[in-house]
Amino acid sequence: ASEGSSDPVQSFELGPENELRFEVDGKNKVIMSVRAGMAEVFGTELVKEKAYTFLAGSKIAVFTWQGATIELRGKTEVSYVAKETPMAMYLNCHAGLEQMRKKAEENTELHGPVLMVVGPTDVGKSTLCRLLLNYAVRMGRRPIFVDLDVGQGHVSIPGTIGALLVERPAAVEEGFSQQAPIVYHFGHKSPGSNIKLFNKLVSALAECIKERTQANRKANVSGVIINTCGWVKQSGYKSLTHIAQTFEVDVILVLDQERLYNELVRDMPPFVRVAFIPKNGGVVERSQNVRSEARDARVREYFYGVRSPLYPHSFDVRFSDVKIYKIGAPSLPDSCMPLGMKADDNKTKLVQVQPGNNILNHILAVSFANSLEEEVITSNVAGFICVTKVDSERQMLTVLSPQPRPLPQTLLLLSEIQYMDSQ
Ligand code: ADP
């Protein structure tokens, strides 16, 4: 018998605009295939009879516009068909964006829509971004995806913000291809840990995207889709308005929270369209624990790959061969600062870190910058390594790295994100 032949098989008949939702838990995996009709996962069309494998932790919706028969092989945590979804409304949003792109196509003075998705945590912001990006590329567009959700990190790993040009629909099992992304190191799981730095990075990224779209007409017409994190109160709200301003957004989609919608309508200039849209009932709320596991999985994926395995390297680095910095010095009251400096300026200062147990299991970003004379904080990072051992006696670090030794650069930025390498 072939592997897994004893796994339970479930078959679902989906009517038009129905959605099959399922979750995979524990150590299980589920193989899904379309037996009849047409269906999509978060905007990516499925190939009939192809076997798609979903690993533990997956929360998936298979949607069909016309109707389809879907088969699941393997143990699911939950699986059910939902008849009510906001997909028609999401498609409307896409149609609206497409109209703006057409106008931009006809008039070189205009540019494609810059859209921002906001809302509290676990309302499907990232999923909506993915859907709109997928629908755009399926129409032949080349939109830019900007991810400012430092808690999960969909472009790179948690603790970063980044952007990529989307040239093909997301792979059903793995998401968007990560070729040549722009990635900035932030170093924390929440923007609130250093809001000054966060805003500075957002501005730098906005500037960089502006330059790129000006040089690429197709991307300029296609527009930008910005994912944000679920921190929407007080400073979090302020940072959302800062994002809207620096990226010069045209459209804001507010998922699920009417209060946030009303605040943005009140505070945004009149040329910014703000729309309220309901969340999909299938979006699953995640506990702190699940969120932290997802972060971990994301880092593991960076080093070890998802399906096609990657083989990271492990090697020793002398303390004296690297310079490790963290961003942000402890703040002093303004009265203690040198003349003309504000306490806040400390938040974007580089502070050298002596290697020791304080960096064990931490992620270090490998900066493209060669020296401190360059704009270290706002320069793209080359990649990430993880400190797996610190030997103070021998003055040596052992690191896990996607690339073989030596390190491409020796200026490293310490992240609060930790990863325990157990493979
Ligand atoms: P947010 O970005 O707002 O935190 P996500 O888009 O990451 O939320 O969605 C949270 C989780 O819900 C993800 O694991 C996603 O795969 C899952 N999800 C999204 N839409 C659906 C749906 N329609 N049915 C089932 N699960 C979904």
Side-chain angles (χ1 to χ4, degrees):
S2 65
E3 192 205 340
S5 60
S6 61
D7 287 340
V9 179
Q10 302 165 267
S11 183
F12 300 88
E13 294 291 333
L14 276 62
E17 294 188 38
N18 287 4
E19 180 170 279
L20 167 65
R21 297 171 184 157
F22 65 91
E23 289 179 41
V24 190
D25 77 336
K27 293 192 169 49
N28 299 319
K29 63 177 183 188
V30 168
I31 297 169
M32 181 268 290
S33 40
V34 181
R35 289 284 179 237
M38 290 210 291
E40 53 185 51
V41 167
F42 305 140
T44 305
E45 272 186 299
L46 299 173
V47 177
K48 206 172 182 171
E49 299 296 345
K50 185 174 165 175
Y52 295 96
T53 307
F54 296 99
L55 306 177
S58 303
K59 300 173 186 10
I60 303 298
V62 185
F63 179 84
T64 175
W65 289 104
Q66 300 89 357
T69 308
I70 310 293
E71 188 183 280
L72 298 182
R73 195 175 282 269
K75 202 167 155 288
T76 49
E77 163 81 357
V78 284
S79 57
Y80 64 97
V81 175
K83 294 194 163 67
E84 298 294 326
T85 76
M87 282 292 281
M89 201 178 284
Y90 294 180
L91 184 65
N92 255 334
C93 293
H94 162 71
L97 297 176
E98 207 35 47
Q99 263 179 7
M100 294 169 80
R101 294 182 186 118
K102 286 214 178 88
K103 281 205 187 119
E105 225 162 22
E106 288 155 9
N107 181 348
T108 48
E109 308 240 301
L110 300 176
H111 59 79
V114 179
L115 169 134
M116 167 164 112
V117 177
V118 303
T121 43
D122 297 335
V123 289
K125 293 184 297 299
S126 323
T127 307
L128 180 59
C129 288
R130 177 164 165 175
L131 184 85
L132 294 173
L133 289 162
N134 275 335
Y135 283 178
V137 263
R138 280 168 64 182
M139 307 284 295
R141 306 296 182 189
R142 296 290 177 271
I144 290 177
F145 175 38
V146 171
D147 187 27
L148 305 178
D149 184 359
V150 290
Q152 295 295 326
H154 299 276
V155 165
S156 184
I157 61 169
T160 65
I161 65 171
L164 44 88
L165 182 70
V166 179
E167 302 193 86
R168 59 190 71 85
V172 172
E173 298 133 314
E174 283 150 335
F176 290 109
S177 148
Q178 316 251 315
Q179 265 172 5
I182 304 167
V183 179
Y184 293 159
H185 161 87
F186 175 60
H188 307 275
K189 292 175 278 213
S190 160
S193 302
N194 189 343
I195 196 75
K196 176 104 196 274
L197 175 63
F198 182 76
N199 287 342
K200 185 173 169 133
L201 294 180
V202 166
S203 301
L205 188 57
E207 203 47 50
C208 174
I209 300 294
K210 233 169 265 170
E211 274 166 29
R212 297 227 175 170
T213 48
Q214 267 156 18
N216 180 341
R217 176 83 186 128
K218 180 132 200 180
N220 197 25
V221 164
S222 303
V224 181
I225 292 184
I226 306 167
N227 187 30
T228 58
C229 55
W231 186 38
V232 297
K233 289 193 188 134
Q234 287 115 21
S235 311
Y237 178 74
K238 262 201 220 138
S239 93
L240 289 181
T241 57
H242 173 254
I243 296 165
Q245 222 171 37
T246 43
F247 275 92
E248 296 175 28
V249 303
D250 308 294
V251 186
I252 302 179
L253 297 182
V254 186
L255 268 171
D256 196 50
Q257 208 183 81
E258 278 184 62
R259 206 191 78 180
L260 179 61
Y261 165 76
N262 283 312
E263 284 174 330
L264 286 166
V265 169
R266 183 193 66 202
D267 297 341
M268 286 295 117
F271 53 83
V272 177
R273 281 194 237 173
V274 185
F276 175 83
I277 48 171
K279 74 168 189 183
N280 186 312
V283 179
V284 191
E285 222 171 286
R286 293 169 292 184
S287 61
Q288 278 298 338
N289 229 350
V290 172
R291 222 183 295 265
S292 131
E293 270 168 29
R295 255 197 297 275
D296 227 50
R298 195 79 189 121
V299 179
R300 186 169 55 245
E301 219 177 288
Y302 176 80
F303 288 109
Y304 290 96
V306 198
R307 252 141 269 262
S308 40
L310 301 173
Y311 300 98
H313 304 261
S314 176
F315 52 86
D316 289 348
V317 180
R318 259 184 262 134
F319 283 5
S320 56
D321 284 345
V322 290
K323 287 202 168 62
I324 304 172
Y325 295 89
K326 67 176 183 155
I327 308 173
S331 32
L332 297 167
D334 274 335
S335 56
C336 301
M337 297 296 292
L339 206 64
M341 270 181 83
K342 288 208 289 293
D344 240 17
D345 295 339
N346 265 348
K347 293 284 185 199
T348 53
K349 254 218 176 83
L350 288 174
V351 183
Q352 191 157 9
V353 176
Q354 292 312 319
N357 274 329
N358 52 329
I359 62 167
L360 183 61
N361 298 324
H362 276 266
I363 296 292
L364 301 173
V366 181
S367 173
F368 264 129
N370 279 309
S371 76
L372 292 183
E373 265 82 84
E374 294 173 47
E375 266 296 334
V376 177
I377 294 175
T378 51
S379 66
N380 201 357
V381 295
F384 302 90
I385 56 176
C386 179
V387 180
T388 53
K389 208 173 130 200
V390 180
D391 185 339
S392 297
E393 223 153 87
R394 283 172 56 236
Q395 299 271 297
M396 285 281 196
L397 298 176
T398 310
V399 301
L400 186 69
S401 159
Q403 303 293 330
R405 86 175 85 200
L407 293 172
Q409 301 289 0
T410 54
L411 206 153
L412 307 173
L413 300 171
L414 178 65
S415 176
E416 156 195 279
I417 310 293
Q418 287 181 283
Y419 174 68
M420 291 279 271
D421 184 41
S422 55
Q423 308 212 353

